[in-house]
Structures are given as structure tokens and as C-alpha cells.
Amino acid sequence: MTVAQVVSILMVDTAETQDQAVSIESPLVFPYRFTSDGRLRHQVTQEPFVFRFQRGRDPEDTQREDQALCLHITQHVHSILEEQANLRPHQGAPCLGYVYLSTRALESPATLVVLVQDRGTVHCGLWSWRAAASEGLEKGSMIPYVRKALEDGCSVLLMNPNQGGVGEMPEDHAQHVWDVIVSRCSSSRVVMVAHGYGGLVFVDLLCRRPQEVVKQVWAVAFLDSSHSLWHQPLDAMGREWLRTHSRRWVLSSKPLNQPVGSLKAGCLQMSAGTQRHEAAPSVCMESVFKFFSKMLSPKPTSAFNIVTRSRSSLGHV
């Protein structure tokens, strides 16, 4: 049985996804399964999944197969987030859709790590479902970021800009999540990771809620971001805040973290160590958390009173 033949098993009614995270029947006939190390392999042959181009094939068949595969991956990632990381889907308002939150994220004073994915068919918990299919969950999903954040004592919020409320734009979803969840949480220290269009979404939030964002967000990491300081209505305060509180990793042939100069960057710009958009989050993860740790560490008050930064500084107030 082909992937296209199981689409009806995997399809999710749009209205139902507003009330629960992903309501997908278990695709018992789906020929691929994730292994314990997060790689997608054929159940019988154990061969890794490979995207294959077939000349002359009906584009609608390809689209249906892609949709089925995307939903299968999403279901598996959500099960790991819930069963292993103890994250739970949260729906605070009809316009919000759903997001994923770690246990007691709203009450905890610990640093809140917020992850925002790219635009398109990328569901909550994923950076790229295609990368997850071909390279594994460690490369294409947010699971490594969630694991690292929890290990550092942080709380976690996974936004869901591509599956927010009905007819909602990603920018509107981010504003609703901020108003309903982030602005009301106990943590006064928020750090954000924004991939692709997620960067534009964050800058739009900074334009809409400048005072609140500047007060509560300590750092933002842009990963091959689509934002533009020249095409978004950011005031002088917002530009200065981005200059001092953000770092931008861009696609480059240079080694990871090598400076990549640009007059339009608006902040320190570094090489992502890859020229592939979907690979940027996994390649940059360690650098992103080091950046957060630096931004959250207490600043030395004098040359004789140097506060040493430790790994635990990320999660504690």
C-alpha cells in the first residue's frame, strides 16, 4: 500500500485541531516507522526514508503523500513531547489555536525559552518535517532544543503560527500567544529562537508590543531569519534593542560563528555553518544556548568583582 492510500487515515479535520493538538488515527498501514534514535526507516527492509522525484507524476498525488508524511511525523513528535518531555498542548483562547507548554511554565520564575518555526506546512514542534523525514528528529524537530532547555532548568513554549486560529496570520498568532500566555507568566526572563519567517513574526511582535517585549525578553536568536529592519515599522528604541539583544545566524560557506558583515543586519551577524535553511537550527543550537547564557548572566560590577558564568545560569533567576 502506497503512502497516498493512507492519506484518509492521517487526515485531520481543521475544526478538530482547534480543540486538540493533533487528532490522527494511528497509521497502522504506514510503511515507515521512527527508530529509537529518531530515524525514519521502512518497517520491513529497514531502509532509510528517501524523497524520490518521479517524472510525469501527478502533482496532486505528490501533495497528498507529502501531507500524509507531514502528519505522520507531527504525530510522532507530539507523542515524544508529551510522553518524554512532559509538554502539554495549551489552548487559552479560540483565536490562539494551540501551543505546547512545559509543566508549570506559567507559574515558574525560571527562564522561558520560546521557539518559533518558519512559515508553511511546518507544524508545532518541528523546524522542518522534510529534514525530520530524511535526516532524523535530531535534525528536523524541536526536540533537542526542548531537551536542552529542560536540562538547563528552563520552561518551554512552542508557538504554533501555522496552525493558529481559523484565518489567523502567523503574526496575529504570536501577538495572541504573547497577550494570553507570555505576558501573564511568572517568568520575567524570556529568550526566543526564531527560524525563517519566525524572525519576521518576532520583529512584528516587537513593533506591536514594544514596551512589553523590551521589558520581558532578554535575548532573541535569529536563524536564517526573513525579517527586515528596513521593511518593518520598527522605531529607534526597537532597533537599538535588537542591536544589543539579538544575534543573527545566516547561511554561509564560512565556519560556524564566523562574522558575516552586513550594513543592514542591525545586530551581530554570524555564519550558521551551513548553506541549507532547514539545517540551521540543529547546526546552531549549541551556539544559541551559549548566547542565551551570556545574555542572562549577571554583569560584573567591577574589575575586582567578576561574576563567573555557569551553565546553570540559564534557568535560574
Side-chain angles (χ1 to χ4, degrees):
M1 184 173 291
T2 67
V3 177
Q5 289 173 297
V6 300
V7 173
S8 60
I9 298 177
L10 293 170
M11 289 296 291
V12 182
D13 183 81
T14 303
E16 292 180 358
T17 56
Q18 305 306 315
D19 300 322
Q20 51 189 345
V22 176
S23 176
I24 308 174
E25 293 296 327
S26 179
L28 300 179
V29 295
F30 196 82
Y32 289 88
R33 285 290 184 274
F34 280 101
T35 60
S36 59
D37 62 350
R39 301 305 297 265
L40 192 60
R41 293 184 178 275
H42 196 280
Q43 295 184 77
V44 178
T45 66
Q46 296 303 307
E47 293 182 353
F49 179 87
V50 178
F51 286 100
R52 292 183 174 88
F53 172 75
Q54 297 180 9
R55 188 181 301 275
R57 189 179 184 198
D58 187 344
E60 292 187 0
D61 288 342
T62 301
Q63 183 179 10
R64 283 193 293 268
E65 287 199 3
D66 285 350
Q67 187 176 29
L69 179 60
C70 175
L71 292 176
H72 175 74
I73 293 171
T74 300
Q75 179 194 39
H76 186 73
V77 168
H78 285 186
S79 69
I80 293 177
L81 292 174
E82 295 179 21
E83 297 169 12
Q84 298 183 21
N86 292 319
L87 268 63
R88 293 291 180 265
H90 176 89
Q91 185 167 354
C95 61
L96 179 65
Y98 72 92
V99 298
Y100 266 95
L101 281 171
S102 58
T103 304
R104 297 186 59 79
L106 297 179
E107 299 83 17
S108 174
T111 299
L112 177 65
V113 179
V114 181
L115 307 181
V116 192
Q117 68 266 43
D118 200 1
R119 192 174 189 178
T121 58
V122 191
H123 293 181
C124 190
L126 288 161
W127 298 118
S128 166
W129 64 267
R130 286 185 173 273
S134 59
E135 302 176 56
L137 299 181
E138 291 295 304
K139 302 294 185 181
S141 81
M142 295 179 178
I143 293 171
Y145 276 78
V146 172
R147 184 191 308 126
K148 171 63 175 171
L150 295 178
E151 287 175 353
D152 287 342
C154 302
S155 299
V156 179
L157 164 62
L158 309 185
M159 283 198 185
N160 194 18
N162 301 318
Q163 289 182 298
V166 177
E168 183 180 60
M169 295 292 291
E171 296 90 329
D172 299 325
H173 171 80
Q175 178 186 318
H176 292 146
V177 172
W178 179 272
D179 293 343
V180 175
I181 297 178
V182 181
S183 67
R184 302 178 184 180
C185 72
S186 297
S187 177
S188 60
R189 307 201 314 174
V190 177
V191 294
M192 302 187 71
V193 183
H195 182 220
Y197 197 83
L200 186 148
V201 168
F202 173 78
V203 174
D204 181 82
L205 178 64
L206 181 58
C207 294
R208 297 188 189 196
R209 298 287 186 269
Q211 299 294 337
E212 296 90 334
V213 170
V214 166
K215 179 180 179 181
Q216 200 168 358
V217 178
W218 286 50
V220 57
F222 294 113
L223 305 179
D224 192 28
S225 173
S226 302
H227 76 277
S228 171
L229 301 185
W230 304 94
H231 295 98
Q232 293 180 265
L234 198 61
D235 61 17
M237 180 189 72
R239 291 174 183 270
E240 176 61 20
W241 185 90
L242 282 179
R243 187 186 69 81
T244 56
H245 290 79
S246 70
R247 185 166 296 181
R248 190 172 190 172
W249 282 267
V250 298
L251 303 187
S252 172
S253 59
K254 291 185 177 181
L256 178 65
N257 294 326
Q258 287 295 307
V260 180
S262 172
L263 296 176
K264 297 182 179 181
C267 65
L268 184 60
Q269 186 165 274
M270 319 290 289
S271 170
T274 180
Q275 297 183 68
R276 295 171 52 241
H277 173 73
E278 64 273 15
S282 62
V283 175
C284 296
M285 189 184 80
E286 183 177 346
S287 300
V288 166
F289 278 95
K290 285 183 178 179
F291 167 60
F292 288 161
S293 182
K294 177 181 179 180
M295 294 300 295
L296 291 164
S297 296
K299 302 300 185 290
T301 55
S302 71
F304 302 99
N305 184 25
I306 299 177
V307 179
T308 303
R309 182 182 67 192
S310 65
R311 289 183 61 189
S312 61
S313 66
L314 187 59
H316 298 287
V317 296

